[in-house]
Amino acid sequence: MDQVESIKFPNVGKLDFKSKKELRGEWRRKADALIPELQHKTVSPASLAELANDPEAWQGIGIRPEKKASELPLLEGGKGKSLILDFGEHHVGYFVLSMHIADGYCDSPVFLRLLAAELPFELAYKAENFKGGLSQAWIQEEFIKIDVLPGSIRLPRRYACRYLRIDVLATPGALIFDSVAFDTVSAANYLPPAPEHLSALEKEIYTAGCRTLRDCMQTCFVDRPKRDRRLWLGDLYLEAKVNAVTYRNFRLVERCLYLLAADIDERGMLPACAFEQKGMRTKCFIPDYSLLFPALLLEHGKASGNREIMEEFYPLAAHQAELFQDFLQEDCTLRNTGSYWFFVDHDAKLEKETSEFCIYLFALRNLAELARLLNREDDKAEFLGNYSHWREIVRRKTMDPDTGLLLSGKNRQISEASQIWGVLSGVLNAGEGRRALAKMKKLPDVIRSRNPYLLHYLLEAYCICGQEEKAYALIRDYWGGMIRLGADTFWEVFDPAGSSPVLYGDAHLVSACHAWSCTPCLFLQKKGSAPEIS
Ligand code: RAM
């Protein structure tokens, strides 16, 4: 392996890791001081619905309205009765069920099965068919017994869903639901109006993006409210961007910065995710997520105007890039990657090394800008020196001289990811980027993404290359494709060609409201008075 020649890296100092325990404690206290008061809104069912086989729908199951919601208290149900309530849009919250027995004679418990679903196919879930690689406990299915009626019961667990299925498993008599209320919660429980200048489809996309973010804004920004209901650094970066042009809840972003910082490891590396409950720290570290921290801090500082927090976290941000140097080798491969999860995208076939190098360069550029804003001119010069050194190596070692494409890994793989991060890092200039991105659409056997996380960065890459119209077309095609399939929040993965990947071994574990998918709002908000594209 080539030896890395030593390149100067700014000594931003201040992180004294002997006192890291104290630092963690201090950051945790600051995170706790920023816990938001959640906003509640009671939502009633919009209609009673029934499932329908539909080859066009995701997993072949669609839904159609059956009765008006106002008919609910008129329905009497015995054992075997099944109801589906449609709440009209995706929400996050708690169910409150009020019931009585028609003749008032309640001499034994009522036994119910409840199933909350984001998408219609989940309403046909059967536990015995579950094939998932993650815990089945994530499935939003409950069995409850109610001893005394008439009365109300509030379910203790929080659900993310649009639909609720109720199966009556046993009842002493004809059971009547007087009401089923959904006590919805979010740190920002409203939808900002879509900008006037957007087309009808773009407005729908904008609103679905805001709804996705709204439902991910709980006591921290979560990756998704169904599971794992957790703060993830990569998702937070994108949520913070959209938040800055929509809800502008900067306190919630800052709570998340402190939560992540409070969980740095022994070396000072930021975790990929953090739990809100005290005393539990993740074992998951994704170096390319840690490298996003400088951009997150910079963009947050600029949007919120909070210079103090930029000062506070500048050393930690620089430290993430400093730690990443341990992985860098001059042949553009990564050293000692054993215990880390390099992410970039879900695709198992993706060779990630070139993307990782570019993400490192992306971090250096953001650090240089942070240093400039904080009047640390020497640091800035050193970040940029380091940047030029590695940029030159990445171009020399990974760029195909004939095609101008960035290749990755031993097999010199061509992927959209390498070109996208090539543009975002400045390894490719705008003209090179335009040509490389155009080739991704034409060449066979390119590894492309079907994941909105990487596609967000493709939107950014188009804009950097001066091809905003391509970004808007992709938004209408890809995110609009989910809308055409009935989505009102955006999904974790989606393939418009009809073969959306099933992650985690079972479609019921995939989320239909996923933080990293909300980003079209960012571009649509900025679209301003740009000419309408056909
Ligand atoms: C999954 C989730 C999460 C993402 C990580 C990398 O667990 O999709 O949102 O950030 O992967």
Side-chain angles (χ1 to χ4, degrees), residues 224-494:
R224 55 182 125 188
K226 182 166 91 171
R227 69 136 279 267
D228 359 280
R229 309 156 154 232
R230 200 166 301 158
L231 166 63
W232 281 84
L233 179 40
D235 299 73
L236 173 64
Y237 175 45
L238 303 189
E239 289 172 295
K241 277 174 180 285
V242 178
N243 173 63
V245 299
T246 52
Y247 297 101
R248 296 180 68 76
N249 187 338
F250 295 122
R251 278 174 64 90
L252 197 62
V253 177
E254 288 174 9
R255 167 164 161 76
C256 293
L257 298 179
Y258 287 118
L259 276 174
L260 287 162
D263 278 357
I264 51 170
D265 73 1
E266 296 53 47
R267 301 165 67 220
M269 188 174 197
L270 280 159
C273 65
F275 297 95
E276 287 181 273
Q277 62 265 43
K278 285 201 184 84
M280 218 173 86
R281 281 169 65 200
T282 183
K283 297 181 184 118
C284 183
F285 288 82
I286 301 180
D288 46 285
Y289 272 15
S290 311
L291 286 175
L292 296 176
F293 192 75
L296 169 61
L297 183 61
L298 172 67
E299 292 178 33
H300 171 72
K302 289 210 281 201
S304 66
N306 187 347
R307 190 185 164 95
E308 239 170 74
I309 203 161
M310 281 202 279
E311 293 274 8
E312 182 174 13
F313 281 135
Y314 171 69
L316 184 62
H319 193 60
Q320 304 314 301
E322 194 169 17
L323 287 172
F324 198 84
Q325 291 184 312
D326 288 353
F327 299 121
L328 301 172
Q329 302 189 108
E330 298 230 355
D331 61 354
C332 279
T333 60
L334 297 168
R335 179 198 290 125
N336 291 338
T337 55
S339 52
Y340 291 98
W341 179 20
F342 288 82
F343 181 62
V344 182
D345 183 81
H346 275 130
D347 196 328
K349 292 194 292 297
L350 180 66
E351 297 274 2
K352 301 176 178 174
E353 292 181 316
T354 296
S355 299
E356 294 287 344
F357 271 75
C358 290
I359 298 171
Y360 172 68
L361 289 167
F362 176 75
L364 289 178
R365 272 185 149 188
N366 284 293
L367 285 167
E369 179 60 7
L370 270 169
R372 188 188 69 78
L373 287 177
L374 300 177
N375 305 322
R376 295 168 191 249
E377 287 304 321
D378 292 350
D379 289 3
K380 179 187 154 196
E382 283 178 22
F383 284 129
L384 291 179
N386 201 304
Y387 174 85
S388 305
H389 174 88
W390 283 105
R391 178 177 184 268
E392 191 276 320
I393 290 175
V394 174
R395 283 181 72 91
R396 182 156 42 83
K397 293 282 162 81
T398 75
M399 190 185 273
D400 180 333
D402 298 327
T403 59
L405 297 176
L406 300 184
L407 312 176
S408 188
K410 282 189 238 44
N411 301 321
R412 313 286 285 160
Q413 185 189 70
I414 302 177
S415 70
E416 207 163 26
S418 299
Q419 319 314 314
I420 291 170
W421 280 109
V423 171
L424 266 75
S425 60
V427 167
L428 298 175
N429 65 33
E432 291 168 335
R434 269 197 295 277
R435 286 189 289 281
L437 294 175
K439 286 194 176 113
M440 295 303 96
K441 303 292 166 224
K442 292 190 195 119
L443 290 176
D445 302 328
V446 167
I447 305 286
R448 293 196 191 88
S449 178
R450 291 172 294 173
N451 159 332
Y453 177 68
L454 185 54
L455 286 175
H456 161 80
Y457 293 112
L458 177 56
L459 297 177
E460 298 241 16
Y462 281 140
C463 294
I464 291 171
C465 293
Q467 297 185 302
E468 283 82 359
E469 77 287 356
K470 289 207 170 182
Y472 298 129
L474 178 58
I475 288 173
R476 286 190 295 268
D477 187 41
Y478 183 80
W479 280 267
M482 289 186 244
I483 297 281
R484 286 186 279 275
L485 287 172
D488 63 8
T489 49
F490 290 125
W491 307 346
E492 179 176 13
V493 282
F494 172 60

Side-chain angles (χ1 to χ4, degrees), residues 72 75-84 97 99-101 108-115 142-146 149 164-177 180:
L72 181 66
L75 302 176
E76 292 189 6
K79 178 175 172 165
K81 175 84 185 165
S82 194
L83 283 173
I84 293 176
L97 286 71
M99 296 157 270
H100 71 274
I101 301 297
S108 61
V110 166
F111 188 21
L112 301 177
R113 174 192 186 240
L114 301 167
L115 185 65
E142 306 292 353
F143 293 88
I144 56 160
K145 289 181 180 164
I146 306 114
L149 287 183
L164 179 68
R165 173 178 177 150
I166 306 174
D167 294 310
V168 182
L169 302 180
T171 172
L175 177 65
I176 296 175
F177 288 93
V180 177

